[in-house]
Amino acid sequence: MSEQARVTRRDVDADVIVVGAGPAGATTAFHLARAGLDVLLLEKTRFPREKVCGDGLTPRAVKELVAMGVDIDAPGWIRNKGLRVYGGGVRLELDWPELSSYPDFGLVRTRADFDQILARHAERAGVRLREGVNVTGPVLDERSGHVVGVTAKADGEEVSYRSRLVVAADGNSTRLSIAMGLHKREDRPMGVAVRTYYKSPRHDDDYLETWLELWDGDRLLPGYGWIFPVGDGTSNVGLGLLNTSEAFKNIDYRDLLRRWMKNTPAEWGFTDENMTGPIRGAALPMGFNRQPHYTRGMVLVGDAGGSINPFNGEGIAYAMETGRTAAEVIVQALSRPTPAQRERVLLAYPRILKDAHGGYFTLGRLFVEAIGRPGVMSFATRHGMPHPTLMRFAFKLLANLTDRRGDASDRIINALSKVAPPS
């Protein structure tokens, strides 16, 4: 090791500090540690802990879990065959597509222990995890203005940690990004999700289930409801809505969920008496709504960078993908001998993300703007659902599941994503 490298490392607590031990942070930390870097992962809460989520994992997320070596055959992982869709008076079962790029099954695992599984997996790879450490802001180099660490509160005491690089994986509210002047883009869609759990005989269904018609009185809302089997005697039941409708600000989401449940068959058991926890809600930052994804020594991953898919509200897969991509870039950057060379590599990270997802997220943004207009959602549901071939195409598009050299539908989706301007 060169004298310069020894001096660089001697003054830091870790090569990389990752703030937030959700799927994005844990995945980033895991891949960094596997590459031989010293990684400090800071989590403000203590495991196990709740997160508002549908708990459903598409084949995109399954692929990332397999790449990390997570044992998805262990107890508690519930496999599913695909998606059962209700809309326009039609019920349609769509199996996950058979592709060379992705598995042909999805999973369900509650966030109550999913995040903990990933964080412990990262620890076994060599990551140093610190729980109960609430990061309060960045530490900046006085001369360059680059992030060289973070300040935090731990057990009531003010502490600070220094590193060669910081990864912001601190979610939608991302205190670090805001402190660095990175605010949400108002031209990007935002969603909200609410969910709860019910004891139900439907807890071991082979399919995830979505309902495309959410009515608020006589208004059809842009969004969908879901029923996901957890396998432990309960179902995760929730709904997601988009801010592209005028009705968005005036909806009582919890009341809407309860009203929807009252219209389901009694034998499903979705009653207040069978509810095992409160109805909780969370914001869904979509379409890269915070940019750039790298600035002055800080890398954004997951929800901190708004990496949720606008088409379907999926966040975990993209959190893990951006985490893996960020780790690959960081490993390459920190191997460079000079600050200028390291910076050049890191500045490529936003472009890599846009090349991978930017065009597709733009299509998603156009899609959610369209279905936010009165009548469009109703027309699409009524005329699309009776046509299985069209719905299979839509399923691939909305789930972003294609092969590079796949069938005609894959080629169409890939071409549309390529020609669309990056988000």
Side-chain angles (χ1 to χ4, degrees), residues 42-240:
L42 305 178
E43 167 59 35
K44 67 179 180 181
T45 62
R46 295 185 182 276
F47 292 112
R49 54 115 164 93
E50 281 275 12
K51 282 285 185 179
V52 176
C53 185
D55 301 333
L57 303 167
T58 70
R60 289 192 77 95
V62 176
K63 179 179 180 177
E64 296 299 321
L65 291 168
V66 172
M68 290 175 65
V70 174
D71 183 7
I72 59 174
D73 292 317
W77 296 94
I78 307 301
R79 296 196 180 200
N80 54 73
K81 299 177 180 179
L83 196 65
R84 183 182 301 118
V85 186
Y86 290 86
V90 177
R91 173 182 180 270
L92 193 63
E93 288 186 351
L94 301 167
D95 288 353
W96 297 114
E98 294 185 6
L99 302 169
S100 61
S101 304
Y102 300 98
D104 63 351
F105 63 93
L107 294 167
V108 173
R109 185 87 193 207
T110 65
R111 292 292 296 276
D113 64 358
F114 177 79
D115 292 15
Q116 183 175 6
I117 289 169
L118 292 191
R120 300 292 180 239
H121 193 70
E123 277 192 297
R124 289 191 290 274
V127 173
R128 291 181 288 133
L129 173 65
R130 300 287 184 268
E131 299 174 51
V133 178
N134 187 14
V135 171
T136 54
V139 175
L140 302 181
D141 181 270
E142 292 181 359
R143 291 173 299 177
S144 68
H146 274 57
V147 180
V148 292
V150 297
T151 57
K153 288 184 178 179
D155 299 321
E157 295 185 4
E158 299 282 348
V159 295
S160 65
Y161 304 95
R162 296 180 72 86
S163 63
R164 303 170 69 193
L165 202 66
V166 170
V167 176
D170 49 348
N172 175 55
S173 58
T174 180
R175 185 176 293 179
L176 276 178
S177 301
I178 293 172
M180 293 295 289
L182 302 182
H183 299 286
K184 295 176 185 176
R185 294 183 54 158
E186 297 301 323
D187 62 342
R188 297 292 187 264
M190 178 69 72
V192 65
V194 294
R195 68 97 176 98
T196 188
Y197 295 91
Y198 291 93
K199 290 183 288 186
S200 171
R202 308 198 64 214
H203 71 98
D204 58 354
D205 199 331
D206 285 337
Y207 286 84
L208 304 178
E209 197 163 270
T210 62
W211 297 64
L212 300 183
E213 293 179 301
L214 289 177
W215 292 92
D216 183 31
D218 59 354
R219 294 180 301 180
L220 182 61
L221 303 174
Y224 65 91
W226 72 74
I227 301 172
F228 293 171
V230 179
D232 62 354
T234 66
S235 294
N236 179 315
V237 180
L239 53 87

Side-chain angles (χ1 to χ4, degrees), residues 254-265:
R254 289 167 174 80
D255 179 63
L256 180 63
L257 179 60
R258 289 179 185 274
R259 282 187 281 131
W260 177 41
M261 289 299 95
K262 287 181 180 179
N263 291 322
T264 59

Side-chain angles (χ1 to χ4, degrees), residues 12 34 55 116 142 273 284:
V12 300
R34 282 289 296 270
D55 301 333
Q116 183 175 6
E142 292 181 359
E273 296 76 30
L284 304 176

Side-chain angles (χ1 to χ4, degrees), residues 302-315:
D303 286 6
S307 63
I308 291 178
N309 182 351
F311 277 110
N312 64 1
E314 179 182 10

Side-chain angles (χ1 to χ4, degrees), residues 39 52 140 159-161 196 228 233 244 249 258 276 292 298 322 330 364 369 419:
V39 185
V52 176
L140 302 181
V159 295
S160 65
Y161 304 95
T196 188
F228 293 171
T244 52
K249 295 179 181 178
R258 289 179 185 274
T276 63
M298 186 179 71
T322 56
I330 291 168
E369 288 173 359
V419 300

